[in-house]
């Protein structure tokens, strides 16, 4: 099997889906000759032509709005938002339109739209090229939010997103693009949206997380293993709908939960996960449900000192785990 | 809006039967609309938003479209338009009464939020202008499949202030998509007069910002409206790209049943507008002059329309509301409806 | 003291602040001669002129964007978004601009902006005139989110919002506008942002809530009192920043917590409140932290059957309290 | 962009001293910019986005503004503009190195996100076009206080596709606000050519959608740029409302240090552009012809600029980065800074 990085896995999924299904079209800023600013769509316009890989004007609401219209009328559009931070002008289209289309038409119209966007920090992107935006969408019934952490998951889940009859926000952590490599089967496979994955089995504590933090948490778990503490790591993979069974199973098994995300703490997805456990997993808890997340500041700064101060690390996660283990 | 007396266009291409059908649809829309206000005042339906004064713009443009073939994205004033596209009075009243059978939304949306996959009427929301980029997307799909369907999207002049208007027209212009952007300009956005919405006289002036034709036509001259729309549709169909078509209308009612327009609008303004731009009366006059309509025919039409309105009202009033549990249906495609 | 409803209290606060401070200006759709669609600004244009009460074009991003610019340059703008559902086109201005202005300029520029908007259901507003949008903003450091439940709080908190040097989203539950009456002192008083209020003392259980649900919860508490169960009711009043001390105090005092909101459950503010308690109030919990909220559907329907099915009621809250009491 | 050889405008109102200062600023901007690329390639600064090719547009327009009195909302290409508004090379380099002392953001924002309350340069963000409604709001406040300050806001042509462009211009037009909207049209938005951004030839055509004047001027003819801006500023100051001023420029570099423009842009296109529109060389030629500049003067200028660039680089390189704990400061006004 090929060793690919996340970027290559995304590109492969797009390529294969476009080959397979003539209704799949890409649209976004600079997705054509440039192949996107991260090169995720490189070569696709050359292969599929400018009618199916569309360089759009610089207008995110328009991009998503046009994609919604195309989705209503038989296409399977994959819209790229160049950086997740720039999805905000499209919030109205995503929340008022894409998410509510099926519901408001009593099932008559569907919106099989995928919106891909790179999110997250650690690439000196400063305040407006580093943000995590998932929490804003994990509150929106009618949407799905997917955030893979590995090349394998990225390919299988992106294919699932494109084939799904409902709108999916597909979040690609930009730090993982080139950093994270792994085996990716050539050819077609699809992973189910809505299923978390146990990345490491453990019995004393569990970490529930997603995205880049999966890798940092695995490193932290390794460190704790060396200290004799067994840590389970659950990768949510899909953020909406949450895999409640997997969350409650991990919590029940270990009795001590640490929820980790890069996004800032207050109002983040961790609150929902903690609330779920505090209500439905209460009886098996041996300790407070802990959250470790980015600080409550608008975003991470450009200076390396500020970026490092904002970001979590394997060390910070290990420290939180030690505290929890000692409870 | 100019207050010059209008001269109605000649329409050799429209046979008398068509002209009469158009008149019938305008009348039907007017009477349905009036009945909804009555039902609202009786406490039977919770909300009305009117087409009154816009019927000419709507039926005139609709006549250049092929119902069920061309795609249409109407807005909340477009009762006469959707009737012309073959929605039935019963379907309209089912929406007004928020019944389970309402084809647009099963009673989920406010009245006048039309939708029908069968008729290629795209489900609309309440936030204005979001549908304008949708229209470009719908047309993009048609173009990709080399279909000759045209997409028409409707909105008020106030809604052209929204960013989505700009982004939608620009995208359609760059891609030369087969879309007609129809602006029904009644010079009011709720209580906001045209002069506070924009510093131009004519919405059509906005076409030049996108490199597309912008045209203005008087909405009480139904035949002219038809001709202008026909041209725009032909342009679209021939691959010459979108048109911005502005149709001047008059809002004869308050913005909606929750509004009282005389708290901000001078009565005389409305009267003047009404005299010069009331489309139903103007079209009837034109048809009489053309020898297509006379008093017996008109009485017959009124009776037929009244019966249809009565029937629709009675049918919808008796129809069942959506079941409470159905509120959980259709959030996602794979969620089984509960009933 | 005068008995006013919430609408009158809002209007009075606006009037007094405009009298007091010539830099306060209002802007929004139909706020002038029409006095807003709910008449919250009635009479203000006549009194203060069209230069200070500005009827804007129909463009929410523009309204908020212009207000931000004005706030940067010495004014205290109060922007009205006609319905909370229509704030979505302005998300980018609120999150990228208003919330981050001070932070990104390292304290050099401030943004003393207030955005008022009516939210919530129960007025046959259907899918797009009924939504609760607070959760989308309670995740945004740099913003404050205020949601009063009474005329007294509305007046005092709106004045605080207008005087605050940072951006405040001021949420007015539209069902409370005419329904909820109460004493409102004439003349000036200001209530602190960030402070919750115990609306009813109790010892067995507590309800943590805000907005219209405060009143429903008080009714439910009354019903339970008749059954011999003592319920405390905490009105959060400010949703961001949360009054953590008050939340933890109520939780500690009663050991059993029910969080109630009209907004749909998943990703709602209740998750954050529950997570706070599950982490910092864990040791005094006698039962799972329960949430009662709107169902996870895009919004409430127009038909009365659907609206009623969506909405919480004193009875539904009482039923949840009984269940929790029995735990 | 037309490739006709340009004829530089005469500028009787600009004394030689001004012309020389303008040239100095353009040169300073160019050399600072070049140095930043060097530092980027050395791994010393993480990101560069260039003004190269835009200096004429920026200094020409700046010359019609009063630094510290008129309000300016620049965008990331506006290095020459902010230098003309009296930001210093040290301040620029402090931003490039993301130092605590960076006056724009204390090292929080990417380089070229300028801000200074003292100079009335409004802090900008990365999402494009959001600042356009801000400019209207800033001007609204000036108008309300009957100040004669004008507000100028700058952006690229690609950014005119955003809804906020439309909403901002429309608001300013309706309220007749004292704003000049300056579009630096380099015909590229990263890799997207003008033809995929809009179906018009000139951004200035968008003015008519708002009922405001739209004008196009060649950015390598610095004096003409100045004259056009002066007129627009005068209009604003006299209460005649906003102007959309388009300045044609050339993007001499890749979009940013993260881009490689030859992956999408034909080399010849850039060469042609460069020959006809390179503003620094064109202005120098003009000054020589006018007898204001000669070789010794130019050498002297180059030496002075080099020294300034060296000083700024050395100063900023030595300056301290922001303290890690300071990331918690300035979320709200009442939060005490931690240090
Ligand atoms: C985004 C958004 N903001 C506000 C509203 C509230 N609203 C409904 S209709 C309307 C006025 C629309 O005016 P116009 O577009 O001219 O259409 P008309 O009603 O005059 O036909 C407003 C402000 C809305 N529906 N959507
Ligand atoms: C809302 C938003 N979307 C995308 C981007 C990414 N981006 C940065 S600059 C740019 C191109 C801007 O082109 P133009 O406005 O013509 O300015 P130029 O760089 O050519 O001077 C893009 C797409 C952004 N900054 N903001
Ligand atoms: Mg109107
Ligand atoms: Mg450009």
């Amino acid at each position: 099997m090929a060793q690919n990085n996340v970027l290559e896995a995304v590109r492969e999924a797009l390529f294969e889906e476009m080959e397979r299904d003539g209704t799949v079209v890409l649209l976004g800023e600079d997705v054509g000759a440039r192949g996107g600013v991260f090169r995720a769509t490189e070569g696709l316009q050359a292969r599929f032509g400018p009618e199916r890989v569309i360089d759009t004007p610089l207008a995110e609401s328009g991009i998503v709005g046009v994609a919604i219209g195309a989705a209503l009328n038989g296409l399977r559009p994959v819209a790229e938002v160049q950086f997740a931070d720039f999805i905000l002008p499209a919030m109205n289209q995503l929340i008022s339109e894409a998410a509510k289309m099926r519901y408001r038409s009593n099932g008559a119209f569907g919106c099989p739209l995928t919106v891909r966007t790179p999110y997250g920090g650690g690439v000196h992107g400063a305040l407006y090229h580093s943000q995590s935006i998932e929490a804003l969408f994990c509150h929106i019934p009618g949407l799905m939010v997917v955030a893979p952490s590995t090349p394998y998951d990225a390919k299988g889940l992106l294919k699932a997103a494109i084939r799904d009859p409902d709108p999916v926000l597909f979040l690609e952590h930009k730090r993982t693009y080139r950093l994270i490599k792994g085996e990716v089967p050539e050819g077609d496979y699809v992973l189910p949206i809505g299923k978390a994955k146990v990345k490491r089995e453990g019995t004393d504590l569990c970490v529930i997380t997603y995205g880049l933090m999966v890798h940092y948490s695995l490193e932290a778990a390794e460190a704790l293993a060396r200290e004799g503490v067994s840590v389970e790591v659950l990768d949510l993979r899909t953020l909406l709908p949450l895999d409640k069974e997997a969350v409650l199973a991990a919590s029940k098994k270990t009795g001590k939960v640490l929820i980790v995300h890069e996004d800032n703490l207050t109002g983040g997805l961790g609150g929902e996960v903690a609330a779920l456990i505090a209500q439905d997993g209460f009886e098996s808890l041996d300790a407070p449900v802990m959250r470790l997340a980015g600080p409550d500041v608008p975003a991470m700064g450009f200076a390396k000192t500020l970026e490092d101060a904002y970001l979590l690390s394997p060390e910070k996660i290990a420290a939180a785990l030690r505290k929890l283990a000692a409870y | 809006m100019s207050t010059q007396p209008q001269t109605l266009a000649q329409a050799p291409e429209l046979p008398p039967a068509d002209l009469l059908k158009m008149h019938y649809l305008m009348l039907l829309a007017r009477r349905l609309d009036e009945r909804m206000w009555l039902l609202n005042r009786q406490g039977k339906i919770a909300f009305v938003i009117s087409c009154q004064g816009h019927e000419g713009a709507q039926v005139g443009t609709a006549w250049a479209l092929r119902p069920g073939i061309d795609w249409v994205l109407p807005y909340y004033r477009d009762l006469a338009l959707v009737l012309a596209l073959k929605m039935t009075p019963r379907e309209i009243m089912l929406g007004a009464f928020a019944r389970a059978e309402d084809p647009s939304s099963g009673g989920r949306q406010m009245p006048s939020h039309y939708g029908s996959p069968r008729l290629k009427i795209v489900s609309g929301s309440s936030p204005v202008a979001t549908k304008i980029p949708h229209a470009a997307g719908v047309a993009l799909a048609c173009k990709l499949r080399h279909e000759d369907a045209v997409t028409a999207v409707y909105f008020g002049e106030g809604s052209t202030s929204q960013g989505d208007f700009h982004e939608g027209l620009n995208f359609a212009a760059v891609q030369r998509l087969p879309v007609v952007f129809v602006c029904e300009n009644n010079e009011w956005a709720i209580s906001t007069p045209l002069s506070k919405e924009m510093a131009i006289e004519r919405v059509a002036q906005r076409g030049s910002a996108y490199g597309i034709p912008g045209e203005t036509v008087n909405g009480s001259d139904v035949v002219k409206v038809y001709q202008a729309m026909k041209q725009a549709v032909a342009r679209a169909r021939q691959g010459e790209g979108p048109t911005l078509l502005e149709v001047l209308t008059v809002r004869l009612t308050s913005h909606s049943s929750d509004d009282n327009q005389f708290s901000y609008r001078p009565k005389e303004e409305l009267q003047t507008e009404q005299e010069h731009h009331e489309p139903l009366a103007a079209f009837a006059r034109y048809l009489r002059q053309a020898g297509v309509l006379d008093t017996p025919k008109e009485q017959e039409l009124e009776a037929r329309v009244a019966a249809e309105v009565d029937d629709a009202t009675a049918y919808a009033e008796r129809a069942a509301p959506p079941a409470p549990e159905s509120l959980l249906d259709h959030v996602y495609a794979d969620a089984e409806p509960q009933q």
Side-chain angles (χ1 to χ4, degrees), chain B residues 220-231:
Chain B
S220 61
D221 192 338
V222 184
V223 173
K224 264 222 184 101
V225 171
Y226 162 72
Q227 288 167 335
M229 184 70 176
K230 204 178 147 193
Q231 257 186 31

Side-chain angles (χ1 to χ4, degrees), chain A residues 51-283:
Chain A
E51 293 224 312
R52 288 184 65 199
V53 180
I54 303 169
D55 282 310
T56 66
L58 206 182
E60 287 76 9
S61 184
I63 292 168
V64 174
V66 166
I68 290 169
L72 289 174
N73 189 7
L75 299 188
R76 298 251 159 192
V78 183
E80 177 177 301
V81 171
Q82 199 162 79
F83 285 87
D85 314 66
F86 306 143
I87 206 169
L88 295 174
M91 290 291 272
N92 193 33
Q93 285 290 353
L94 284 162
I95 297 179
S96 298
E97 302 298 327
K100 293 186 175 60
M101 186 62 72
R102 184 177 301 283
Y103 193 77
R104 78 175 183 225
S105 65
N106 206 24
F109 285 94
C111 187
L113 163 70
T114 303
V115 177
R116 291 179 43 245
T117 190
Y119 78 108
V123 298
H124 52 75
L127 302 185
Y128 295 100
H129 298 77
S130 303
Q131 291 174 77
S132 296
I133 47 87
E134 59 275 19
L136 299 179
F137 298 96
C138 290
H139 181 54
I140 308 299
L143 289 186
M144 280 169 278
V145 182
V146 174
S149 65
T150 65
Y152 176 78
D153 289 350
K155 181 172 172 187
L157 283 166
L158 181 50
K159 283 174 165 249
I162 293 171
R163 296 183 200 181
D164 196 280
D166 288 308
V168 179
L169 178 62
F170 194 84
L171 300 175
E172 301 163 8
H173 196 294
K174 62 177 89 74
R175 184 86 176 90
T176 67
Y177 268 157
R178 295 200 157 81
L179 184 71
I180 305 299
K181 297 188 180 71
E183 299 201 331
V184 176
E186 268 161 57
D188 199 37
Y189 68 97
V190 174
L191 297 174
I193 293 176
K195 292 280 165 236
K197 188 174 184 174
V198 176
K199 301 293 285 189
R200 181 191 173 103
E201 299 268 355
T203 50
D204 297 329
L205 312 171
C206 74
V207 179
I208 301 177
T209 187
Y210 56 95
L212 178 66
M213 292 304 120
V214 170
H215 305 286
Y216 289 6
S217 298
L218 287 169
E219 281 188 50
E222 195 61 47
L224 266 87
R226 290 192 292 268
E227 298 163 23
V229 182
S230 164
V231 178
E232 176 141 327
V233 177
L234 184 70
D235 179 357
L236 289 171
R237 300 199 294 184
T238 294
L239 311 186
L240 183 72
L242 270 180
D243 186 344
K244 293 183 191 177
E245 287 80 51
V247 166
L248 292 172
S251 153
K252 191 169 177 190
K253 178 173 172 192
T254 60
K256 290 182 172 184
V257 183
L258 177 70
I259 302 158
V260 175
H261 55 64
E262 179 179 321
D263 194 5
N264 55 286
L265 182 80
T266 297
L269 183 66
E272 184 60 31
V273 176
L276 184 65
I277 296 169
Q279 177 159 335
D280 296 336
F282 181 72
E283 301 193 352

Side-chain angles (χ1 to χ4, degrees), chain B residues 112-185:
Chain B
S112 304
H113 286 59
Y114 308 106
S116 163
R118 177 178 55 95
L119 299 174
K120 295 215 160 112
I121 296 173
V122 175
S123 166
S125 63
S126 302
V128 301
T130 46
K131 59 171 69 66
I132 299 178
H134 300 177
V138 168
L140 182 76
C142 291
K143 190 180 171 190
L144 221 79
R145 289 192 297 259
H146 306 290
E147 295 167 2
D148 80 338
V150 162
T151 301
V153 55
Y154 289 72
F155 45 85
E157 84 297 338
S159 304
T160 69
S161 302
Q162 287 281 346
D164 271 1
F165 167 84
H166 178 69
E167 300 189 12
L169 266 72
N170 192 47
F171 188 96
V174 169
Q175 296 282 336
R176 287 179 89 76
L177 297 177
V179 194
V180 185
F181 298 101
V182 182
C183 177
E184 300 181 31
N185 182 354

Side-chain angles (χ1 to χ4, degrees), chain B residues 54 75-77 126-128 156-159 162 186 188-190 255:
Chain B
H54 288 238
Y75 85 121
Y76 49 77
R77 290 215 188 282
S126 302
V128 301
E157 84 297 338
S159 304
Q162 287 281 346
N186 60 18
W188 290 92
I190 307 187
H255 172 72

